[in-house]
Amino acid sequence: MNTFGNIFRLTSFGESHGACIGGIIDGCPAGLAIDADFIQNELNRRRPGQSALTTSRREADRVEFLSGIYKGIATGTPIGFVVRNEDQHSEDYDSVKDAFRPSHADYTYQIKYGIRDPRGGGRASARETVVRCVGGAVAKLALNRQNITVQAYTSRVGHIGLDGSYEDYDLSLTETNPVRCPDPVRAAEMQALIAAVKSKGDTVGGIVTCVVKGVPAGLGEPVFGKLHAALGTAMLSINAAKGFDCGIGFDAADCFGSEQNDRFYNDNGRIRTRTNFSGGIQGGISNGEDIYFRVAFKAVATLLMTQQTVDKDGNDTLLKVCGRHDPCVLPRAVPVVEAMAAMTVLDYQLIRQSRS
């Protein structure tokens, strides 16, 4: 299960403290111009060490393409790539090699495989998401040709959240602050909260909201391939993601049908809805309106404080980890959410085209 997608497929490999991580993109449309600068910029948005709010690990995260591209154009054959790891401090994990860190994948990996790589969490490390950002950047290039855009932003950190919907904010402001929130006032409050939490050795979670514009009506494969289900699968595969909802999501439980039904009207020959509580998807199929959804992320499990746990033999022990860790995943999760959304939408578009 290291491959994502149906037609546009991304296979991921590598560990956080190995020589490199990398991937293979299969199903990329032939003839697509591969903008290397655009792809690198997407990686830079996810890169560690970009602000005081993130881990201090320093990685250039330079992608090296190995195949599938000729003179800057995708040939339609598999695109292989690697991103080399350059700033590992593997000795930071010596103290945890025989103990199970609370709320990490240490115990479950040990039970499943009988062996695990304790350095940075191995495959369970969030560093694996750099591969997704490469795949997502290529998918964005393909979607851009069709005027389909994917924009995510931080809408909540801890108890500090945005009050309105995505339509109430200028999303072009998202990249103007380290926390990636389009509201400058709330962004400053979020930054202060993350800094305060970090100073205590603690962590904090939050929510990323994502909007996909320009998706045509008709994408989605009922009954078991619904578009929002595919998006949910994609989002919940991201490290620390614990919740997903589309449109008004869980808020629909508080509404009557008369309050949440999206009524249709004829907009100069195009059937549209007057509201968009459905989040651009009805019956598992896109209806042509904006697709929007939220992803809830838990607080990072690595705390720079002493915690009780057990070792591999089940003995009680005290554990205090050291090293470089994010006090909040939200700022760096934004480009990862976009990447997974872009790959999902492109994949489902290619599925539809294959049946036309």
Side-chain angles (χ1 to χ4, degrees), residues 19 24 61 66 71 76 82 92 99 105 121-122 150 162 168 172 187 209 216 227 232 256 258 293 312 355:
I24 299 173
D61 281 356
L66 308 177
K71 293 185 176 180
V82 295
D92 288 343
V150 183
L162 302 184
D168 298 321
S172 68
T209 297
L227 182 57
F256 295 109
S258 56
F293 57 85
K312 63 181 181 180
R355 294 176 178 172

Side-chain angles (χ1 to χ4, degrees), residues 1-5 9-15 22-25 81 109 112-113 122-124 128 131-132 237 340 343:
M1 301 303 291
N2 294 296
T3 298
F4 174 81
R9 294 162 60 87
L10 173 70
T11 299
S12 165
F13 66 84
E15 292 82 30
I24 299 173
I25 300 170
F81 63 89
Y109 266 56
K112 182 174 180 63
Y113 298 107
R123 282 290 286 167
E128 181 272 337
V131 179
R132 304 166 186 239
S237 75
M340 297 306 295
M343 287 191 288

Side-chain angles (χ1 to χ4, degrees), residues 6-242:
N6 298 281
I7 295 179
F8 185 89
R9 294 162 60 87
L10 173 70
T11 299
S12 165
F13 66 84
E15 292 82 30
S16 175
H17 284 236
C20 67
I21 53 176
I24 299 173
I25 300 170
D26 204 1
C28 178
L32 178 67
I34 303 299
D35 185 336
D37 290 337
F38 174 81
I39 294 172
Q40 187 58 56
N41 184 64
E42 292 295 282
L43 295 188
N44 293 345
R45 296 172 64 215
R46 193 223 69 96
R47 187 174 60 192
Q50 56 186 278
S51 78
L53 303 182
T54 67
T55 171
S56 59
R57 179 171 175 170
R58 296 289 179 178
E59 294 285 358
D61 281 356
R62 291 288 174 186
V63 61
E64 302 173 34
F65 288 104
L66 308 177
S67 64
I69 301 172
Y70 178 68
K71 293 185 176 180
I73 304 296
T75 62
T77 58
I79 298 174
F81 63 89
V82 295
V83 176
R84 302 192 185 278
N85 297 324
E86 300 172 339
D87 189 28
Q88 310 99 313
H89 288 183
S90 298
E91 64 277 5
D92 288 343
Y93 296 89
D94 289 344
S95 63
V96 302
K97 61 183 177 63
D98 294 324
F100 299 131
R101 294 171 296 171
S103 287
H104 282 75
D106 298 345
Y107 173 70
T108 51
Y109 266 56
Q110 186 71 41
I111 290 298
K112 182 174 180 63
Y113 298 107
I115 186 174
R116 65 184 175 91
D117 182 352
R119 305 167 303 166
R123 282 290 286 167
S125 169
R127 179 144 182 78
E128 181 272 337
T129 59
V130 70
V131 179
R132 304 166 186 239
C133 286
V134 176
V138 172
K140 280 186 176 183
L141 290 172
L143 294 176
N144 287 345
R145 299 195 302 182
Q146 302 163 66
N147 296 317
I148 298 174
T149 62
V150 183
Q151 170 78 68
Y153 60 93
T154 298
S155 55
R156 175 172 293 276
V157 172
H159 65 279
I160 301 171
L162 302 184
D163 298 323
S165 75
Y166 70 92
E167 295 175 304
D168 298 321
Y169 300 97
D170 180 358
L171 299 188
S172 68
L173 298 177
T174 299
E175 295 293 321
T176 62
N177 58 77
V179 78
R180 294 197 163 94
C181 173
D183 183 326
V185 174
R186 285 288 187 265
E189 295 174 357
M190 292 174 182
Q191 289 177 240
L193 175 59
I194 295 172
V197 166
K198 181 180 180 181
S199 69
K200 300 175 183 177
D202 211 339
T203 60
V204 65
I207 295 174
V208 169
T209 297
C210 187
V211 186
V212 188
K213 293 178 174 286
V215 177
L219 300 193
E221 299 297 316
V223 172
F224 297 112
K226 295 181 178 180
L227 182 57
H228 62 281
L231 287 167
T233 297
M235 298 307 143
L236 292 174
S237 75
I238 302 172
N239 308 64
K242 301 298 286 184

Side-chain angles (χ1 to χ4, degrees), residues 6-9 26-29 142 146 219 221 343-356:
N6 298 281
I7 295 179
F8 185 89
R9 294 162 60 87
D26 204 1
C28 178
Q146 302 163 66
L219 300 193
E221 299 297 316
M343 287 191 288
T344 301
V345 171
L346 177 60
D347 188 35
Y348 269 61
Q349 190 173 57
L350 293 173
I351 291 173
R352 184 187 186 192
Q353 291 174 1
S354 72
R355 294 176 178 172
S356 60

